[in-house]
mmCIF file of all heavy atoms in Angstrom:
data_model
loop_
_atom_site.group_PDB
_atom_site.id
_atom_site.type_symbol
_atom_site.label_atom_id
_atom_site.label_comp_id
_atom_site.label_asym_id
_atom_site.label_seq_id
_atom_site.Cartn_x
_atom_site.Cartn_y
_atom_site.Cartn_z
ATOM 1 N N VAL A 1 0.850 -1.182 0.000
ATOM 2 C CA VAL A 1 0.000 0.000 0.000
ATOM 3 C C VAL A 1 0.891 1.240 0.000
ATOM 4 O O VAL A 1 1.818 1.333 0.811
ATOM 5 C CB VAL A 1 -0.905 0.022 1.254
ATOM 6 C CG1 VAL A 1 -1.762 1.274 1.291
ATOM 7 C CG2 VAL A 1 -1.756 -1.241 1.328
ATOM 8 N N THR A 2 0.616 2.188 -0.909
ATOM 9 C CA THR A 2 1.406 3.419 -0.922
ATOM 10 C C THR A 2 0.637 4.531 -0.232
ATOM 11 O O THR A 2 -0.576 4.660 -0.396
ATOM 12 C CB THR A 2 1.768 3.855 -2.347
ATOM 13 O OG1 THR A 2 0.623 4.419 -3.002
ATOM 14 C CG2 THR A 2 2.291 2.692 -3.163
ATOM 15 N N THR A 3 1.356 5.342 0.545
ATOM 16 C CA THR A 3 0.739 6.469 1.235
ATOM 17 C C THR A 3 1.525 7.737 0.932
ATOM 18 O O THR A 3 2.721 7.691 0.625
ATOM 19 C CB THR A 3 0.691 6.246 2.755
ATOM 20 O OG1 THR A 3 1.996 6.435 3.315
ATOM 21 C CG2 THR A 3 0.193 4.847 3.088
ATOM 22 N N GLY A 4 0.858 8.872 1.037
ATOM 23 C CA GLY A 4 1.529 10.156 0.895
ATOM 24 C C GLY A 4 1.720 10.817 2.244
ATOM 25 O O GLY A 4 1.194 10.358 3.269
ATOM 26 N N ASP A 5 2.453 11.920 2.238
ATOM 27 C CA ASP A 5 2.683 12.617 3.502
ATOM 28 C C ASP A 5 1.497 13.482 3.920
ATOM 29 O O ASP A 5 1.516 14.107 4.984
ATOM 30 C CB ASP A 5 3.966 13.448 3.454
ATOM 31 C CG ASP A 5 3.923 14.603 2.454
ATOM 32 O OD1 ASP A 5 2.841 14.959 1.961
ATOM 33 O OD2 ASP A 5 5.004 15.165 2.145
ATOM 34 N N ALA A 6 0.449 13.523 3.073
ATOM 35 C CA ALA A 6 -0.766 14.299 3.363
ATOM 36 C C ALA A 6 -0.423 15.747 3.705
ATOM 37 O O ALA A 6 -1.038 16.362 4.580
ATOM 38 C CB ALA A 6 -1.604 13.637 4.455
ATOM 39 N N GLU A 7 0.575 16.267 3.003
ATOM 40 C CA GLU A 7 1.019 17.658 3.117
ATOM 41 C C GLU A 7 1.621 18.009 4.468
ATOM 42 O O GLU A 7 1.685 19.179 4.842
ATOM 43 C CB GLU A 7 -0.120 18.619 2.757
ATOM 44 C CG GLU A 7 -0.599 18.465 1.321
ATOM 45 C CD GLU A 7 -1.664 19.476 0.947
ATOM 46 O OE1 GLU A 7 -2.813 19.287 1.380
ATOM 47 O OE2 GLU A 7 -1.337 20.427 0.216
ATOM 48 N N MET A 8 2.093 16.999 5.188
ATOM 49 C CA MET A 8 2.896 17.222 6.383
ATOM 50 C C MET A 8 4.205 16.453 6.192
ATOM 51 O O MET A 8 4.317 15.279 6.553
ATOM 52 C CB MET A 8 2.178 16.752 7.650
ATOM 53 C CG MET A 8 2.888 17.161 8.938
ATOM 54 S SD MET A 8 1.971 16.654 10.420
ATOM 55 C CE MET A 8 0.564 17.765 10.322
ATOM 56 N N PRO A 9 5.212 17.092 5.572
ATOM 57 C CA PRO A 9 6.419 16.377 5.154
ATOM 58 C C PRO A 9 7.128 15.617 6.268
ATOM 59 O O PRO A 9 7.735 14.568 6.013
ATOM 60 C CB PRO A 9 7.306 17.495 4.592
ATOM 61 C CG PRO A 9 6.332 18.522 4.099
ATOM 62 C CD PRO A 9 5.215 18.496 5.100
ATOM 63 N N SER A 10 7.055 16.096 7.505
ATOM 64 C CA SER A 10 7.763 15.427 8.592
ATOM 65 C C SER A 10 7.283 14.006 8.819
ATOM 66 O O SER A 10 8.018 13.168 9.364
ATOM 67 C CB SER A 10 7.625 16.235 9.890
ATOM 68 O OG SER A 10 6.257 16.341 10.270
ATOM 69 N N ARG A 11 6.064 13.694 8.396
ATOM 70 C CA ARG A 11 5.559 12.330 8.558
ATOM 71 C C ARG A 11 6.426 11.312 7.825
ATOM 72 O O ARG A 11 6.528 10.162 8.248
ATOM 73 C CB ARG A 11 4.132 12.241 8.017
ATOM 74 C CG ARG A 11 3.068 12.910 8.858
ATOM 75 C CD ARG A 11 1.715 12.752 8.221
ATOM 76 N NE ARG A 11 0.638 13.216 9.086
ATOM 77 C CZ ARG A 11 -0.353 14.010 8.694
ATOM 78 N NH1 ARG A 11 -0.389 14.436 7.429
ATOM 79 N NH2 ARG A 11 -1.294 14.373 9.540
ATOM 80 N N ALA A 12 7.004 11.720 6.701
ATOM 81 C CA ALA A 12 7.743 10.769 5.868
ATOM 82 C C ALA A 12 8.961 10.190 6.586
ATOM 83 O O ALA A 12 9.341 9.043 6.339
ATOM 84 C CB ALA A 12 8.171 11.443 4.568
ATOM 85 N N GLN A 13 9.584 10.966 7.480
ATOM 86 C CA GLN A 13 10.761 10.504 8.210
ATOM 87 C C GLN A 13 10.421 9.865 9.558
ATOM 88 O O GLN A 13 11.304 9.290 10.207
ATOM 89 C CB GLN A 13 11.727 11.669 8.425
ATOM 90 C CG GLN A 13 12.418 12.146 7.166
ATOM 91 C CD GLN A 13 13.331 11.091 6.570
ATOM 92 O OE1 GLN A 13 14.088 10.425 7.280
ATOM 93 N NE2 GLN A 13 13.267 10.916 5.256
ATOM 94 N N ASN A 14 9.178 9.935 9.967
ATOM 95 C CA ASN A 14 8.742 9.381 11.245
ATOM 96 C C ASN A 14 8.226 7.963 11.013
ATOM 97 O O ASN A 14 7.147 7.774 10.466
ATOM 98 C CB ASN A 14 7.656 10.268 11.839
ATOM 99 C CG ASN A 14 7.120 9.749 13.162
ATOM 100 O OD1 ASN A 14 7.543 8.698 13.660
ATOM 101 N ND2 ASN A 14 6.180 10.475 13.738
ATOM 102 N N ARG A 15 8.970 6.965 11.462
ATOM 103 C CA ARG A 15 8.576 5.579 11.204
ATOM 104 C C ARG A 15 7.344 5.158 11.986
ATOM 105 O O ARG A 15 6.756 4.121 11.683
ATOM 106 C CB ARG A 15 9.743 4.633 11.500
ATOM 107 C CG ARG A 15 10.953 4.833 10.598
ATOM 108 C CD ARG A 15 11.739 3.541 10.431
ATOM 109 N NE ARG A 15 12.095 2.918 11.671
ATOM 110 C CZ ARG A 15 13.291 2.987 12.253
ATOM 111 N NH1 ARG A 15 14.262 3.707 11.689
ATOM 112 N NH2 ARG A 15 13.533 2.353 13.367
ATOM 113 N N ARG A 16 6.922 5.969 12.960
ATOM 114 C CA ARG A 16 5.685 5.661 13.691
ATOM 115 C C ARG A 16 4.454 6.175 12.944
ATOM 116 O O ARG A 16 3.326 5.779 13.272
ATOM 117 C CB ARG A 16 5.741 6.262 15.095
ATOM 118 C CG ARG A 16 6.779 5.621 16.006
ATOM 119 C CD ARG A 16 6.692 6.161 17.413
ATOM 120 N NE ARG A 16 6.935 7.594 17.468
ATOM 121 C CZ ARG A 16 8.136 8.150 17.522
ATOM 122 N NH1 ARG A 16 9.222 7.393 17.513
ATOM 123 N NH2 ARG A 16 8.261 9.463 17.580
ATOM 124 N N SER A 17 4.669 7.054 11.988
ATOM 125 C CA SER A 17 3.563 7.565 11.184
ATOM 126 C C SER A 17 3.356 6.674 9.964
ATOM 127 O O SER A 17 4.313 6.119 9.414
ATOM 128 C CB SER A 17 3.866 8.995 10.730
ATOM 129 O OG SER A 17 2.911 9.437 9.780
ATOM 130 N N LEU A 18 2.109 6.583 9.518
ATOM 131 C CA LEU A 18 1.802 5.816 8.307
ATOM 132 C C LEU A 18 1.899 6.681 7.051
ATOM 133 O O LEU A 18 1.731 6.175 5.943
ATOM 134 C CB LEU A 18 0.397 5.213 8.411
ATOM 135 C CG LEU A 18 0.197 4.197 9.535
ATOM 136 C CD1 LEU A 18 -1.279 3.837 9.671
ATOM 137 C CD2 LEU A 18 1.038 2.948 9.290
ATOM 138 N N GLY A 19 2.151 7.963 7.189
ATOM 139 C CA GLY A 19 2.233 8.860 6.043
ATOM 140 C C GLY A 19 3.614 8.848 5.406
ATOM 141 O O GLY A 19 4.630 8.757 6.097
ATOM 142 N N GLY A 20 3.643 8.947 4.067
ATOM 143 C CA GLY A 20 4.913 8.994 3.357
ATOM 144 C C GLY A 20 5.646 7.670 3.364
ATOM 145 O O GLY A 20 6.876 7.629 3.467
ATOM 146 N N LYS A 21 4.889 6.577 3.187
ATOM 147 C CA LYS A 21 5.456 5.238 3.315
ATOM 148 C C LYS A 21 4.996 4.320 2.180
ATOM 149 O O LYS A 21 4.041 4.613 1.465
ATOM 150 C CB LYS A 21 4.995 4.587 4.633
ATOM 151 C CG LYS A 21 5.212 5.401 5.889
ATOM 152 C CD LYS A 21 6.682 5.614 6.209
ATOM 153 C CE LYS A 21 6.887 6.252 7.576
ATOM 154 N NZ LYS A 21 6.338 7.618 7.685
ATOM 155 N N ILE A 22 5.680 3.193 2.047
ATOM 156 C CA ILE A 22 5.120 2.008 1.405
ATOM 157 C C ILE A 22 4.909 0.994 2.522
ATOM 158 O O ILE A 22 5.827 0.729 3.312
ATOM 159 C CB ILE A 22 6.027 1.462 0.302
ATOM 160 C CG1 ILE A 22 6.131 2.482 -0.842
ATOM 161 C CG2 ILE A 22 5.501 0.134 -0.236
ATOM 162 C CD1 ILE A 22 7.089 2.093 -1.945
ATOM 163 N N LEU A 23 3.694 0.472 2.606
ATOM 164 C CA LEU A 23 3.328 -0.478 3.662
ATOM 165 C C LEU A 23 3.234 -1.882 3.080
ATOM 166 O O LEU A 23 2.889 -2.063 1.915
ATOM 167 C CB LEU A 23 1.976 -0.091 4.277
ATOM 168 C CG LEU A 23 1.784 1.373 4.672
ATOM 169 C CD1 LEU A 23 0.376 1.587 5.230
ATOM 170 C CD2 LEU A 23 2.831 1.810 5.686
ATOM 171 N N ARG A 24 3.535 -2.861 3.909
ATOM 172 C CA ARG A 24 3.420 -4.274 3.521
ATOM 173 C C ARG A 24 2.662 -4.999 4.618
ATOM 174 O O ARG A 24 3.062 -4.960 5.797
ATOM 175 C CB ARG A 24 4.807 -4.885 3.317
ATOM 176 C CG ARG A 24 4.817 -6.380 2.964
ATOM 177 C CD ARG A 24 6.248 -6.835 2.697
ATOM 178 N NE ARG A 24 6.337 -8.261 2.416
ATOM 179 C CZ ARG A 24 6.653 -9.193 3.326
ATOM 180 N NH1 ARG A 24 6.899 -8.844 4.594
ATOM 181 N NH2 ARG A 24 6.714 -10.465 2.983
ATOM 182 N N MET A 25 1.569 -5.656 4.228
ATOM 183 C CA MET A 25 0.708 -6.295 5.220
ATOM 184 C C MET A 25 0.135 -7.585 4.666
ATOM 185 O O MET A 25 0.186 -7.851 3.452
ATOM 186 C CB MET A 25 -0.426 -5.341 5.616
ATOM 187 C CG MET A 25 -1.348 -4.947 4.479
ATOM 188 S SD MET A 25 -2.529 -3.614 4.905
ATOM 189 C CE MET A 25 -1.445 -2.202 5.017
ATOM 190 N N THR A 26 -0.447 -8.382 5.547
ATOM 191 C CA THR A 26 -1.157 -9.583 5.125
ATOM 192 C C THR A 26 -2.478 -9.176 4.464
ATOM 193 O O THR A 26 -2.935 -8.033 4.619
ATOM 194 C CB THR A 26 -1.453 -10.499 6.317
ATOM 195 O OG1 THR A 26 -2.449 -9.871 7.138
ATOM 196 C CG2 THR A 26 -0.188 -10.776 7.138
ATOM 197 N N PRO A 27 -3.139 -10.080 3.774
ATOM 198 C CA PRO A 27 -4.441 -9.734 3.189
ATOM 199 C C PRO A 27 -5.487 -9.310 4.216
ATOM 200 O O PRO A 27 -6.495 -8.709 3.849
ATOM 201 C CB PRO A 27 -4.856 -11.028 2.475
ATOM 202 C CG PRO A 27 -3.565 -11.715 2.149
ATOM 203 C CD PRO A 27 -2.665 -11.411 3.314
#
């Protein structure tokens, strides 16, 4: 799943945030 930073760039460097990431999960 791809996510954006939702216009808060600091989220991308925060590994606790789901923003600005590629996620990998089970079905």
Side-chain angles (χ1 to χ4, degrees):
V1 178
T2 75
T3 75
D5 65 14
E7 298 184 284
M8 189 177 290
S10 61
R11 287 180 172 133
Q13 290 296 316
N14 179 359
R15 296 208 308 259
R16 293 186 299 276
S17 171
L18 297 171
K21 308 294 188 296
I22 295 176
L23 312 179
R24 178 176 177 263
M25 62 189 71
T26 70

